[in-house]
Amino acid sequence: MRQAMVAGNWKMNGSSASVSELIEGINAGVGETSAEIVVCPPFVYLSAIAAATADSAVKLGAQNMCDQDGGAFTGEISGPMLKDIGCEYVIIGHSERRAMYGETDEITAIKYGAVLKNGLKPIFCIGETLEERESGVTEDVIGRQIDAILESDGVASLANAVLAYEPVWAIGTGKTASPEQAQDVHAFIRGKIAALDAGIADGLRILYGGSMNPGNAADLIAQADIDGGLIGGASLKADDFLAICKAAG
Ligand code: PGA
């Protein structure tokens, strides 16, 4: 039985005051869910949120990571640094990084390997654009994105990772994939992994992301191959985030 997971991707939002209010609200309700709860604040607030979650079940993730462990890489943050301040997860391959910061399949695979090498767990994001969906190549795109990490790190690496299916057209748009649309892709992903290793596929958590909110979370997470959510906008309000967490278990 896979433990559900709900991860909040705060993106580049918040201030010292607002993130501290947000985490207090989340801490207060986290006892009411059996799902694993992760928050991914902007780098500059990670230490403050690590301190604020020290006595809470809420776990910490980063939104990005450098593939190098240290040295002259201006502006970058390394795996050992994230480990040092108490991170457990790192989002890799988010579509915003792929689209706006030039992260290719090759770069995401290198980062994925670096996360694992540092004893951290990747939340590896995959997803098609609207144009790709409309031209019928969704499975080709998702397959290619997953092949990048399978070729570099092998299927066994997924024992320490989480996948997040995030259709690009659903991110931040208010347009959610229907439960059936999402389930179809999640089943395709699990089937692809199962063809290589049934045990790994069975234990692998595959999150849905893209305009998940308190109103649609339960129907999405009820699908057989959807194990939780990666939440952007709705993770910035404690009540909404907690409602999604409760819908997950
Ligand atoms: P959204 O973002 O929930 O605001 O659509 C999801 C994500 O980008 O992870």
Side-chain angles (χ1 to χ4, degrees), residues 200-214:
I200 295 276
D202 197 41
L204 177 66
R205 289 181 296 179
I206 310 174
L207 312 183
Y208 169 80
S211 299
M212 195 186 265
N213 60 45

Side-chain angles (χ1 to χ4, degrees), residues 9 11 94-96 166 170-173 209-212 230-234:
N9 174 8
K11 307 193 179 181
H94 192 279
S95 69
E96 286 153 17
E166 300 204 301
I171 296 178
T173 58
S211 299
M212 195 186 265
L230 179 56
I231 322 297

Side-chain angles (χ1 to χ4, degrees), residues 26-223:
I26 294 171
N27 279 340
V30 79
E32 293 161 45
T33 171
S34 58
E36 182 178 16
I37 308 303
V38 181
V39 294
C40 304
F43 284 127
V44 290
Y45 301 127
L46 276 173
S47 288
I49 301 301
T53 52
D55 298 322
S56 136
V58 177
K59 296 179 177 176
L60 201 59
Q63 298 174 19
N64 183 24
M65 195 189 98
C66 183
D67 62 306
Q68 302 293 317
D69 284 351
F73 301 96
T74 301
E76 293 291 317
I77 303 286
S78 75
M81 291 173 183
L82 295 178
K83 188 98 184 143
D84 181 37
I85 57 122
C87 270
E88 185 170 333
Y89 289 96
V90 186
I91 298 173
I92 295 293
H94 192 279
S95 69
E96 286 153 17
R97 297 216 55 88
R98 291 179 189 262
M100 292 189 268
Y101 299 98
E103 293 197 6
T104 59
D105 286 334
E106 189 187 359
I107 291 170
T108 61
I110 291 169
K111 289 190 173 197
Y112 173 89
V115 170
L116 288 168
K117 188 196 79 178
N118 280 289
L120 295 154
K121 298 173 194 159
I123 299 174
F124 189 74
C125 302
I126 52 196
E128 82 288 2
T129 63
L130 186 59
E131 197 185 355
E132 288 163 341
R133 171 162 286 265
E134 285 174 347
S135 39
V137 295
T138 297
E139 292 187 357
D140 297 336
V141 171
I142 307 281
R144 189 202 74 218
Q145 291 169 334
I146 296 176
D147 282 342
I149 57 171
L150 293 177
E151 281 159 20
S152 65
D153 287 82
V155 69
S157 72
L158 289 170
N160 296 311
V162 174
L163 294 183
Y165 168 57
E166 300 204 301
V168 178
W169 48 272
I171 296 178
T173 58
K175 266 197 203 167
T176 317
S178 69
E180 296 71 28
Q181 277 176 323
Q183 167 59 24
D184 281 353
V185 178
H186 282 236
F188 163 74
I189 295 167
R190 200 176 306 283
K192 177 176 171 68
I193 305 302
L196 300 170
D197 189 317
I200 295 276
D202 197 41
L204 177 66
R205 289 181 296 179
I206 310 174
L207 312 183
Y208 169 80
S211 299
M212 195 186 265
N213 60 45
N216 60 29
D219 285 347
L220 284 158
I221 296 171
Q223 301 298 310

Side-chain angles (χ1 to χ4, degrees), residues 14-21 45 48-49:
S15 63
S16 300
S18 75
V19 298
S20 114
E21 193 186 323
Y45 301 127
I49 301 301

